[in-house]
């Protein structure tokens, strides 16, 4: 269970007004299906042959926003329609 627990979330502060905080959930480990996918190796880069993008990219598994002036510090989850669990 310790190995599979999520890591600390990544946060991003709204650049100019600084009233909104975005919180991104990061998985502790990539799923086995992602690690087992075939990849091309070219000059030290590992490339996904289907999408031609780096095969070892980080991704988020959750996203929420929080208003900094909210006294209760409620986080509002963000849902994306038509997207799998990886953002």
């Amino acid at each position: 269970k310790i190995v599979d627990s999520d890591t600390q979330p990544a946060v991003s502060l709204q650049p100019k007004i600084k009233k909104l905080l975005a919180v991104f959930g990061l998985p502790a480990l990539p799923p086995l299906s992602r690690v087992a996918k075939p990849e091309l190796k070219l000059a030290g880069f590992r490339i996904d042959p289907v999408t031609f993008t780096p095969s070892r990219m980080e991704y988020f598994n959750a996203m929420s926003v929080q208003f900094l002036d909210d006294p209760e510090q409620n986080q509002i989850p963000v849902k994306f329609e038509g997207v799998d669990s990886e953002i």
Side-chain angles (χ1 to χ4, degrees):
K1 293 256 179 187
I2 293 174
V3 174
D4 291 337
S5 65
D6 289 340
T7 59
Q8 294 292 325
V11 295
S12 179
L13 188 61
Q14 188 180 13
K16 294 186 180 186
I17 303 172
K18 297 190 179 6
K19 290 189 176 188
L20 188 67
L21 182 72
V23 182
F24 302 98
L26 297 164
L29 297 171
L32 189 57
S33 61
R34 179 172 295 265
V35 176
K37 284 176 69 172
E39 59 188 11
L40 302 174
K41 297 175 185 172
L42 177 63
F45 293 102
R46 296 169 188 251
I47 300 170
D48 184 346
V50 176
T51 61
F52 296 107
T53 58
S55 64
R56 305 276 172 112
M57 294 188 338
E58 262 190 10
Y59 60 92
F60 304 114
N61 60 0
M63 181 180 172
S64 61
V65 294
Q66 176 181 341
F67 291 98
L68 295 177
D69 56 359
D70 182 10
E72 297 177 10
Q73 298 181 348
N74 293 326
Q75 290 187 0
I76 304 165
V78 177
K79 303 281 185 195
F80 294 96
E81 296 294 326
V83 177
D84 25 345
S85 62
E86 300 171 359
I87 302 171

